[in-house]
Amino acid sequence: MPVISVPYAFNEEELYVDLRPIFGHSLFLKCEGFNFAGSIKLKAATAMVESAERDGDLRPDSVLVESSSGNLGVALSMIAASKGYRFLCVTDSRCNLATRLMMEALGSQVHVVADEESKGGFLGARLAYIRSLCASDDRCVWLSQYTNPSNWKAHYRTTAPAIARSFPQLDLLFVGAGTAGTLMGCARYFRNWHRPVQIIAVDSVGSVAFGGNPGRRMIPGLGMSVRPPLLDESYVDEVVRVAEADTIRTCRRLARSGFVFGGSTGTVVSGATDWLARHDTRGLTAVALAPDLGERYLDTVYQDNWVQDLYGEDVLRSEFPSATDIDAIGLMPPLRSSEPQSQPRERRRRHDA
């Protein structure tokens, strides 16, 4: 029976979902959202804070500062509350409302930048605000998840070895690319493993992490508006790019099977299943990383009006009808039964007797 005294001491590391019944491909999904922060970012947040403490950068009056689209901000909010630090998360308008409320509930301050930079997008604006803040107040300690080596080392020490223990015959690993911390930690670990593992990065269409033209991205999590400083493409065998409409379709398909995952997970699963459909993978063992759960996306990815306004009605059309679709075609049960109410009660009495 686990007994903990600090919230970051617990993380479920050994849970996988077999996605073959849903998508028809052999793919095991490693679930990283079962901790008090709700995402894989707990690992990087813990490692970066503990590294700053060891280096003497954090003092009792320090203010932790970080740029985050959501999940890392929640993880740092939780750790800061536990350790007694103040924390300021700098985010932008794409951050989910539930995520902002979670950070504030944990006692953190949230600053939302309103405008994009001409070349760096929202991320550039967030980083510019942090640099200005740190220059004006020496109490601020910027962890910089985009350049901090503790980010990828956390996954080298935890995530990758956990996968290796569960799947000693691993052949394929699908990892979403944001800061590239998870990707680089896992890729570096498996580069020197006892058998070759193909590392496939999953990125969002509109991200420039691996080059290409920038585009609109409304789902926080994966993707970057600049090249990730932590990224070393020599460790990556292939890159799959996923359009946000496909992310939404995949999230909703998983939900129709009872699994409510976040937008980052939808992107990774969409990219992985698309790749598997285009290759002969008979006899191969494939694992994908699910960074988060879906409760914080209920007012975006899972909200019909939000999806329709941004992506059109076609995204909502799938083999799995929504609740509004069911109501529209008359499949909801009638509010009034044509059978007298006394008859069901009488049948229950006879059955109970």
Side-chain angles (χ1 to χ4, degrees):
M1 178 180 68
V3 177
I4 63 173
S5 57
V6 290
Y8 51 89
F10 171 77
N11 182 67
E12 174 55 61
E13 193 75 90
E14 306 295 337
L15 179 63
Y16 294 81
V17 176
D18 182 359
L19 294 182
R20 182 190 287 274
I22 303 174
F23 294 98
H25 302 290
S26 180
L27 179 65
F28 297 97
L29 186 64
K30 188 178 191 303
C31 302
E32 291 282 352
F34 290 97
N35 55 57
F36 286 98
S39 80
I40 196 171
K41 289 293 189 178
L42 174 63
K43 296 175 179 178
T46 303
M48 290 191 296
V49 170
E50 291 180 346
S51 176
E53 289 176 330
R54 287 193 301 269
D55 294 342
D57 295 331
L58 287 174
R59 307 183 303 269
D61 65 340
S62 294
V63 179
L64 288 170
V65 180
E66 187 55 270
S67 161
S68 172
S69 61
N71 284 336
L72 183 74
V74 172
L76 286 172
S77 294
M78 187 190 75
I79 294 169
S82 177
K83 289 177 172 286
Y85 296 118
R86 294 173 58 195
F87 172 56
L88 168 64
C89 180
V90 181
T91 188
D92 59 64
S93 57
R94 295 171 300 177
C95 181
N96 297 325
L97 175 61
T99 300
R100 297 203 299 268
L101 294 176
M102 177 71 78
M103 289 188 279
E104 290 170 352
L106 289 163
S108 297
Q109 182 180 351
V110 180
H111 177 81
V112 181
V113 298
D115 301 315
E116 301 182 63
E117 281 200 343
S118 57
K119 293 184 179 180
F122 279 120
L123 176 58
R126 280 154 41 184
L127 299 185
Y129 181 86
I130 289 177
R131 292 189 183 100
S132 174
L133 188 67
C134 291
S136 64
D137 191 336
D138 61 6
R139 295 174 302 167
C140 294
V141 177
W142 180 18
L143 296 174
S144 186
Q145 63 164 325
Y146 309 101
T147 60
N148 195 323
S150 293
N151 186 345
W152 70 262
K153 288 179 181 179
H155 301 288
Y156 185 92
R157 292 192 298 262
T158 60
T159 309
I163 296 170
R165 289 193 301 269
S166 297
F167 295 93
Q169 300 302 313
L170 180 68
D171 298 292
L172 302 165
L173 181 62
F174 297 89
V175 187
T179 65
T182 307
L183 176 63
M184 287 295 96
C186 291
R188 283 189 166 95
Y189 180 90
F190 284 110
R191 172 63 62 89
N192 299 314
W193 205 37
H194 69 91
R195 58 184 281 117
V197 175
Q198 193 167 357
I199 304 296
I200 301 169
V202 183
D203 197 12
S204 300
V205 170
S207 164
V208 300
F210 295 90
N213 297 320
R216 184 190 73 168
R217 291 181 294 115
M218 300 302 297
I219 301 175
L222 301 185
M224 291 276 283
S225 55
V226 297
R227 180 180 173 83
L230 296 178
L231 177 63
D232 183 343
E233 289 188 57
S234 68
Y235 286 92
V236 178
D237 294 291
E238 192 170 339
V239 179
V240 178
R241 290 179 171 86
V242 177
E244 289 191 331
D246 291 325
T247 292
I248 293 166
R249 291 187 184 100
T250 301
C251 283
R252 287 171 169 242
R253 187 170 181 180
L254 285 163
R256 295 297 184 265
S257 296
F259 297 104
V260 180
F261 284 106
S264 297
T265 299
T267 301
V268 172
V269 173
S270 178
T273 53
D274 175 70
W275 192 96
L276 293 171
R278 293 184 283 105
H279 295 79
D280 183 3
T281 59
R282 286 173 293 182
L284 299 183
T285 299
V287 170
L289 281 176
D292 54 1
L293 300 178
E295 290 89 343
R296 295 171 195 163
Y297 297 81
L298 294 179
D299 59 350
T300 54
V301 170
Y302 296 100
Q303 216 285 326
D304 285 358
N305 290 337
W306 186 87
V307 172
Q308 184 174 335
D309 288 346
L310 290 174
Y311 305 96
E313 293 185 1
D314 288 345
V315 180
L316 299 177
R317 295 180 187 140
S318 70
E319 58 184 300
F320 301 97
S322 68
T324 53
D325 294 333
I326 292 173
D327 191 33
I329 60 178
L331 294 182
M332 296 298 286
L335 294 177
R336 252 181 220 175
S337 173
S338 59
E339 185 179 19
Q341 292 299 311
S342 60
Q343 292 185 23
R345 288 198 293 268
E346 182 65 22
R347 281 200 296 271
R348 279 199 299 272
R349 284 198 293 272
R350 284 200 295 268
H351 177 74
D352 293 341

